[in-house]
Amino acid sequence: MIPTKGYAAKQAKGALEPFSFERKAPGPKEVLIEIAYCGVCHSDLHKVNNDWGGSAYPLVPGHEIVGIVNKVGKDVKRFKPGDNAGVGCFIDSCRNCEACKDHEEQYCASATWTYGAKLADGLRTYGGYSERIVVNEDFVLTIAKDANLASTAPLLCAGITTYSPLKHWNVGKGQNVGIVGLGGLGHMGLKLAKSFGAKVVAFTHSPKKKEDALRLGADEVIVTSDVASMEKHKGSFDFILDTVSAPHDLNQMLGMLRRNGHYVIVGVPSDPHAVHAFSLIEGRHSLSGSLIGGIKQTQEMLDYCAKKGIVSDVEVIPMQDINKAYERMLKGDVRYRFVIDMKSLK
Ligand code: NAP
Ligand code: ZN
């Protein structure tokens, strides 16, 4: 067993505080990664606050993990000590179901989430707000040697969660694409959709983000409270990706789609959306959702981003500032992903 320092919430809505626990030594197929950086996803905050129900405490969040391989089991083929490595939202799956065979382990009913999952031996998984993690090599991602680790970390969730639906719905040249919400996921969605050749419009409820959105590559920015601007663009979008973490009016947003347009939700507010049938039947609109992405596609996304020079815009913080960072994230005051420097735990 390896003593490990981390930060945990001890109860729903509780502040994160120092927490010591033990990681198992790596088994034959496992990789021990010393965590360098971990991104702060809004899902971490939802889980700490038990917004979706089912959170278990102590909860060590964190699923945007990058670090350096420290030790490998004897049967590990793809990694050696000193390599960069990444871990995303899940660390295992059943490997036999239809989803697993299709390389979409995120849809496996028994996928093991990186944190908060109950293991067969009764222990719980603890996430990336910690010094190190031990993961089966099949669920560890390769990170380029020369990568900027801090700005690559958010790709492990925010990157793949936006890349996957953009690929699934073949977003690209000639399409008018909307990205709703300019946070961690949204700013990655914007960069990726733009890199695929689409015309990209950012929808934000924060007028102060207008200039940033243009700098990040948006062709246009629409502030959702600007009625005239919303009216002008009504019925013109082929595809809209909604990354918003809080309740908002989906009927208004569905009205932005053109005939046969797709509206895909990745953001998960705690309360259910109210969708009027007219928002769908008028224009034969489709409403769908998408959950992160499989390991194979996550590697494809990491390689694509490395080739294109796409990374996240990050604000690096020490672990000790995590509670302040959560407060700021709730206010939309993050440009555009907090990333924890794990050196601060030493
Ligand atoms: P984030 O950085 O906090 O961004 C969320 C954005 O939503 C904000 O920047 C803001 O953008 C917008 N927003 C916030 N409150 C709003 C309100 N009241 N009305 C309208 N817009 C509002 O969060 P994130 O890390 O990107 O995560 C976004 C959501 O995706 C979370 O619910 C998270 O749990 C979920 N998620 C889902 C998956 C998946 O697999 N589907 C994976 C990861 C995360 P503007 O200021 O530009 O309006
Ligand atoms: Zn996440």
Side-chain angles (χ1 to χ4, degrees):
M1 301 299 268
I2 312 165
T4 297
K5 285 188 273 190
Y7 259 54
K10 302 279 173 63
Q11 64 202 27
K13 297 190 179 7
L16 274 90
E17 49 186 280
F19 174 66
S20 294
F21 60 101
E22 291 187 317
R23 296 277 190 203
K24 281 186 179 162
K29 277 279 283 173
E30 287 177 332
V31 179
L32 167 64
I33 301 162
E34 290 293 320
I35 300 173
Y37 296 97
C38 184
V40 178
C41 179
H42 206 114
S43 300
D44 301 345
L45 179 51
H46 287 306
K47 287 297 278 184
V48 165
N49 287 346
N50 200 21
D51 285 345
W52 305 327
S55 292
Y57 306 88
L59 182 97
V60 178
H63 57 209
E64 292 185 339
I65 300 167
V66 291
I68 314 286
V69 174
N70 177 277
K71 206 182 244 182
V72 298
K74 68 176 175 46
D75 298 331
V76 168
K77 303 263 186 313
R78 290 172 40 239
F79 295 93
K80 58 177 188 322
D83 286 349
N84 289 339
V87 178
C89 299
F90 51 92
I91 53 162
D92 208 348
S93 68
C94 84
R95 300 162 189 244
N96 288 313
C97 69
E98 207 175 74
C100 285
K101 285 184 177 150
D102 285 346
H103 302 284
E104 295 200 312
E105 304 88 358
Q106 74 276 27
Y107 299 120
C108 169
S110 23
T112 306
W113 304 107
T114 302
Y115 62 82
K118 199 159 191 186
L119 300 169
D121 55 12
L123 295 175
R124 288 204 172 268
T125 54
Y126 292 132
Y129 294 10
S130 61
E131 291 177 293
R132 60 187 63 86
I133 193 163
V134 177
V135 179
N136 186 296
E137 77 161 326
D138 297 341
F139 291 80
V140 180
L141 287 307
T142 299
I143 308 275
K145 221 184 167 94
D146 56 352
N148 177 321
L149 296 187
S151 46
T152 298
L155 301 185
L156 274 304
C157 175
I160 184 60
T161 301
T162 49
Y163 181 91
S164 189
L166 293 172
K167 281 284 172 190
H168 185 81
W169 277 275
N170 293 315
V171 165
K173 271 200 179 63
Q175 289 180 341
N176 196 20
V177 170
I179 304 287
V180 192
L182 204 59
L185 267 56
H187 94 292
M188 287 311 306
L190 200 162
K191 290 185 187 197
L192 289 165
K194 190 70 199 158
S195 80
F196 297 153
K199 180 188 171 207
V200 186
V201 176
F203 287 92
T204 180
H205 85 309
S206 312
K208 62 182 189 301
K209 291 185 186 168
K210 226 172 158 170
E211 270 170 39
D212 271 4
L214 295 170
R215 176 182 58 78
L216 290 164
D219 293 291
E220 232 173 292
V221 186
I222 299 177
V223 177
T224 45
S225 57
D226 178 348
V227 181
S229 182
M230 289 292 279
E231 196 57 36
K232 186 176 142 209
H233 289 83
K234 222 170 158 181
S236 67
F237 286 85
D238 300 285
F239 180 92
I240 297 178
L241 186 66
D242 185 327
T243 74
V244 174
S245 54
H248 56 293
D249 185 0
L250 268 203
N251 296 300
Q252 182 196 30
M253 293 311 304
L254 283 160
M256 306 309 287
L257 290 176
R258 56 183 299 175
R259 187 167 50 93
N260 297 328
H262 290 281
Y263 196 94
V264 178
I265 293 181
V266 288
V268 193
S270 48
D271 296 322
H273 285 296
V275 176
H276 201 289
F278 277 123
S279 304
L280 299 173
I281 65 174
E282 287 179 348
R284 195 162 46 201
H285 297 154
S286 300
L287 175 61
S288 315
S290 183
L291 178 69
I292 33 181
I295 292 293
K296 188 172 172 214
Q297 194 176 44
T298 304
Q299 191 63 61
E300 173 191 305
M301 175 276 309
L302 286 166
D303 297 346
Y304 173 81
C305 288
K307 197 169 94 198
K308 296 274 183 179
I310 297 173
V311 287
S312 172
D313 285 31
V314 300
E315 179 176 338
V316 177
I317 57 164
M319 187 75 252
Q320 293 75 9
D321 283 359
I322 188 64
N323 295 305
K324 261 189 272 170
Y326 277 8
E327 276 170 36
R328 283 181 53 196
M329 187 156 61
L330 268 179
K331 286 191 270 179
D333 176 22
V334 45
R335 310 256 168 126
Y336 279 86
R337 196 56 136 189
F338 290 117
V339 171
I340 305 161
D341 182 348
M342 233 38 86
K343 273 200 303 291
S344 57
L345 268 181
K346 302 287 175 204

